[in-house]
């Protein structure tokens, strides 16, 4: 510490849900990208059930930031303490607490506290961090409140699934096709437009127009985190189609004795108030789940098939 002032913020919200449900949503940080708008991806590096170390990616004032977070969970007091081990500039130190308190009548008070210092304590840098903390904290609390208050229906609102394709070619060729998303408009028929930037190596920000089976155009915006040595690309849609409140996914390729398996995984939170607007009067969550499963599965399987053809054609040409 070099004398910078410690800045403190506090954000709270009352949640009409049991405290145990609220704490459960906070404790499972790996699912935060699906539940919290700012969070893009979370990798759990180690945990003993109480202490954990996480690599986190999230948006802050429109930028994708990454850091290592150490967390200590205390389910007895329903508190989670956290601190950033390697914060990104201009932050020098960032730590805080999630506190869940049971209120009379079965509701819950959720409080999120932050303490931070800024390198040099310059006013514009402090204002930047304060704006990021305030915007993200408000978004996280609002999203968590909305999810917790629908906890009895979460099993109907959330769905996860995957599709896979066998490829008679090395995993690297398949991964290369999936990684070069900027080329997709000329390689994938259902992608009509794709704008991609990669200011930080391995972090891709893209906007894409895709065609549905009925000819409609869906515009999405995503952040992709690429792990080429592991054959993985994880992503979070930051702008989703109307029927989805949140959508995260992963492309992965795995080598085996008999070739390569390419997998597309999806996790979705449905937007319940859009079901009838999108699917028509009388439509319900069961129909919405089926529609989303078929639409996402159809497009991602088509992409995997094209990746297979690309990889196998390179092998044959070689």
């Amino acid at each position: 510490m070099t004398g910078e002032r410690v800045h403190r913020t506090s954000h709270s919200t009352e949640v009409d849900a049991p405290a145990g449900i609220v704490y459960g949503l906070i404790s499972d940080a790996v699912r935060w990208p699906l539940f919290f708008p700012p969070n893009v991806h979370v990798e759990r590096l180690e945990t003993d059930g109480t202490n954990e170390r996480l690599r986190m990616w999230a948006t802050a004032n429109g930028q994708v930031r990454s850091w290592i977070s150490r967390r200590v969970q205390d389910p007895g007091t329903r508190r989670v303490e956290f601190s950033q081990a390697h914060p990104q500039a201009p932050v020098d130190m960032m730590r805080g607490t999630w506190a869940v308190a049971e209120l009379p009548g079965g509701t819950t008070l959720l409080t999120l506290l932050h303490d931070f210092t800024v390198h040099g304590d310059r006013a514009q840098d402090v204002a930047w961090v304060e704006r990021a903390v305030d915007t993200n904290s408000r978004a996280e609390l609002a999203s968590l409140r909305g999810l917790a208050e629908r906890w009895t229906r979460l099993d109907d609102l959330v769905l996860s699934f995957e599709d896979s394709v066998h490829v008679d070619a090395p995993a690297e060729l398949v991964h290369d096709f999936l990684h070069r998303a900027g080329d997709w408009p000329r390689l994938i028929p259902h992608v009509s437009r794709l704008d991609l930037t990669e200011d930080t190596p391995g972090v891709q920000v893209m906007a894409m127009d895709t065609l549905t089976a009925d000819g409609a155009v869906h515009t999405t915006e995503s952040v992709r985190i690429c792990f080429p040595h592991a054959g993985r690309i994880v992503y979070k849609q930051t702008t989703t189609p109307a029927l989805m409140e949140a959508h995260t996914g992963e492309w992965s390729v795995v080598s085996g004795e008999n070739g390569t398996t390419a997998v597309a995984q999806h996790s979705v939170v449905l937007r319940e108030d859009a079901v009838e607007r999108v699917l028509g009067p009388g439509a319900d969550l069961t129909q919405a789940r089926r529609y989303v499963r078929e639409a996402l599965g159809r497009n991602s399987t088509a992409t995997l098939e094209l990746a297979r053809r690309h990889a196998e054609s390179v092998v044959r040409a070689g």
Side-chain angles (χ1 to χ4, degrees):
M1 195 84 64
T2 57
E4 289 93 348
R5 184 163 65 95
V6 177
H7 303 269
R8 293 186 167 88
T9 66
S10 176
H11 296 80
S12 62
T13 187
E14 187 171 335
V15 186
D16 188 11
I21 297 297
V22 176
Y23 181 81
L25 291 171
I26 293 166
S27 66
D28 189 5
V30 173
R31 301 196 78 188
W32 282 10
L34 187 61
F35 293 158
F36 291 171
N39 290 88
V40 174
H41 182 60
V42 177
E43 291 265 318
R44 181 175 282 124
L45 304 177
E46 57 184 89
T47 182
D48 61 9
T50 299
N51 303 279
E52 61 183 344
R53 196 164 64 94
L54 307 165
R55 178 73 185 273
M56 311 186 84
W57 288 261
T59 56
N61 296 335
Q63 301 178 15
V64 180
R65 314 281 283 185
S66 181
W67 62 89
I68 301 291
S69 183
R70 299 183 183 277
R71 301 205 318 166
V72 180
Q73 299 196 39
D74 186 346
T77 61
R78 297 197 183 99
R79 293 172 67 89
V80 178
E81 308 282 346
F82 60 88
S83 62
Q84 292 186 8
H86 301 287
Q88 276 193 262
V91 176
D92 265 351
M93 181 275 291
M94 178 75 73
R95 63 179 179 237
T97 304
W98 291 91
V100 179
E102 190 170 2
L103 298 176
T107 61
T108 298
L109 178 64
L110 173 61
T111 302
L112 175 55
L113 305 172
H114 286 91
D115 290 354
F116 63 88
T117 61
V118 175
H119 184 72
D121 215 38
R122 295 192 307 169
Q124 61 267 39
D125 290 337
V126 172
W128 191 95
V129 178
E130 286 180 335
R131 184 167 71 254
V133 169
D134 183 65
T135 301
N136 286 9
S137 296
R138 290 178 186 277
E140 289 168 355
L141 292 182
S143 181
L144 192 143
R145 182 179 66 244
L147 285 165
E149 291 181 348
R150 294 174 289 170
W151 70 274
T152 59
R153 304 198 306 287
L154 276 185
D155 286 345
D156 295 323
L157 292 168
V158 178
L159 68 152
S160 297
F161 58 91
E162 66 178 42
D163 297 291
S164 62
V165 169
H166 177 76
V167 186
D168 289 319
E172 292 80 8
L173 294 175
V174 182
H175 181 270
D176 178 67
F177 183 96
L178 298 171
H179 183 266
R180 291 187 294 108
D183 295 336
W184 284 5
R186 65 180 179 82
L187 299 174
I188 301 177
H190 66 260
V191 176
S192 59
R193 178 190 67 92
L194 195 149
D195 299 323
L196 184 144
T197 58
E198 190 170 348
D199 295 332
T200 301
V203 179
Q204 299 178 338
V205 179
M206 65 189 218
M208 179 172 65
D209 290 341
T210 57
L211 304 175
T212 63
D214 57 6
V217 176
H218 281 171
T219 298
T220 59
E221 295 181 4
S222 304
V223 177
R224 306 203 316 170
I225 311 297
C226 304
F227 303 94
H229 297 298
R232 300 172 59 216
I233 300 169
V234 299
Y235 62 87
K236 160 77 171 275
Q237 283 192 346
T238 52
T239 299
T240 57
L243 201 51
M244 291 185 281
E245 191 171 299
H247 175 205
T248 63
E250 178 174 338
W251 304 99
S252 60
V253 290
V254 181
S255 297
E257 293 182 2
N258 301 313
T260 296
T261 301
V263 182
Q265 297 174 305
H266 299 274
S267 292
V268 171
V269 179
L270 295 173
R271 183 174 282 116
E272 192 170 12
D273 60 7
V275 171
E276 291 197 27
R277 185 172 73 252
V278 174
L279 300 181
D284 58 17
L285 284 174
T286 299
Q287 293 168 266
R289 291 172 67 88
R290 184 168 58 247
Y291 178 90
V292 168
R293 171 66 178 94
E294 291 174 355
L296 291 180
R298 181 170 52 247
N299 281 356
S300 58
T301 300
T303 300
L304 292 179
E305 282 289 348
L306 289 165
R308 177 186 65 79
R309 292 181 204 170
H310 162 77
E312 292 178 353
S313 68
V314 172
V315 170
R316 287 194 298 271

